[in-house]
């Protein structure tokens, strides 16, 4: 059974921050072939808010208020030979992308990619941030940082197909929600990784999206919590 924590303070060595109504959420990685697969796609923006999605199909990483430390890869722009974009970006959901020299650009880095959000440019930090992992090796680590730059948790995935030629069934959306703002996300994948469809905004939450109740990082801690509960029940 899923255990929900409503403790008014940070627990588990700072890995999971819990603060009442502003509780941060790390989402379970989910399959993603087009933007309609985004758990954020159906959420309205808050009044005066914003939402941006960067698919780099113009070969530019230029949505406002964010910087990253990788490069844009592209077959169509002659900047790569193996490019693993989101499936739909080449115009067809067909299990592949970009291989015929048409659209299908992505983001690449050798080890990890970090995205930093600028509160001044955006007006306010995004409450919702997502990114699509499209290629690399196992294991994948997604980490999210709050408005003060403190990590509020990681999610790990092991769904890579072991093939670097643009298969899309392995592709997964990683996301987080924090009403207090998200200043940075990092996706790590030693040996190289590709990402696509960075999306961020101030959206109306909130509980309808899947939540990572089985995060590996909190697994052991939740296990310990379970032990504590079990012990209390035995002694009660
Ligand atoms: Ca395709
Ligand atoms: Ca793309
Ligand atoms: Ca892929
Ligand atoms: Ca692959």
């Amino acid at each position: 059974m899923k255990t929900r924590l409503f403790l008014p303070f940070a627990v588990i060595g700072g890995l999971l921050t819990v603060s009442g109504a502003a509780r941060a959420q790390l989402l379970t990685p989910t399959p993603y072939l087009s933007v309609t697969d985004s758990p954020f796609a159906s959420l309205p923006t808050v009044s005066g808010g914003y939402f941006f999605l960067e698919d780099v199909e113009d070969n530019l990483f230029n949505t406002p208020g964010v910087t990253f430390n990788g490069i844009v890869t592209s077959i169509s722009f002659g900047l790569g030979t193996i490019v693993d974009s989101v499936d739909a970006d080449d115009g067809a959901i067909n299990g592949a992308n970009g291989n015929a020299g048409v659209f299908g650009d992505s983001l690449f880095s050798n080890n990890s990619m970090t995205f930093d959000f600028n509160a001044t440019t955006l007006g306010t930090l995004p409450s919702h941030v997502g990114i699509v992992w499209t290629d690399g090796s196992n294991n994948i680590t997604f980490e999210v940082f709050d408005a003060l730059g403190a990590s509020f948790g990681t999610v790990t995935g092991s769904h890579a197909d072991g093939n670097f030629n643009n298969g899309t069934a392995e592709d997964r959306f990683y996301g987080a929600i924090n009403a207090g703002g998200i200043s940075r996300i990092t996706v790590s994948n030693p040996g190289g990784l590709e990402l696509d469809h960075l999306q961020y905004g101030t959206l109306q939450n909130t509980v309808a999206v899947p939540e990572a109740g089985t995060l590996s990082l909190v697994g052991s801690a939740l296990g310990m919590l379970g032990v504590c509960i079990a012990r209390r029940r035995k002694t009660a």
Side-chain angles (χ1 to χ4, degrees), residues 55 57 85 89 105 196:
D55 64 8
E57 292 308 312
S85 175
D89 284 359
D105 294 358
D196 205 353

Side-chain angles (χ1 to χ4, degrees), residues 84 133-136 161-165 167 170:
D84 206 335
W133 176 96
T134 56
D135 205 24
D161 64 5
N163 185 324
F164 302 113
N165 289 310
E170 63 181 348

Side-chain angles (χ1 to χ4, degrees), residues 7-34:
L7 304 176
F9 48 79
V11 294
I12 315 170
L15 292 174
L16 176 64
T17 299
V18 181
S19 57
R23 194 168 58 98
Q25 292 176 274
L26 292 166
L27 308 184
T28 301
T30 47
Y32 189 107
L33 300 178
S34 77

Side-chain angles (χ1 to χ4, degrees), residues 11 14 35 39 62 64 86 91 105 139 141 145 155 161 163 184 193 202 205 232 235:
V11 294
V35 66
N62 60 356
V86 163
D105 294 358
N139 292 304
T141 303
F145 299 81
V155 178
D161 64 5
N163 185 324
R184 164 182 285 188
L193 74 159
T202 51
N205 210 10
R232 283 184 184 176
T235 57

Side-chain angles (χ1 to χ4, degrees), residues 46-60:
V46 300
S47 177
Y50 61 88
F51 182 72
F52 297 107
L53 187 150
E54 177 59 271
D55 64 8
V56 293
E57 292 308 312
D58 57 358
N59 195 231
L60 298 172

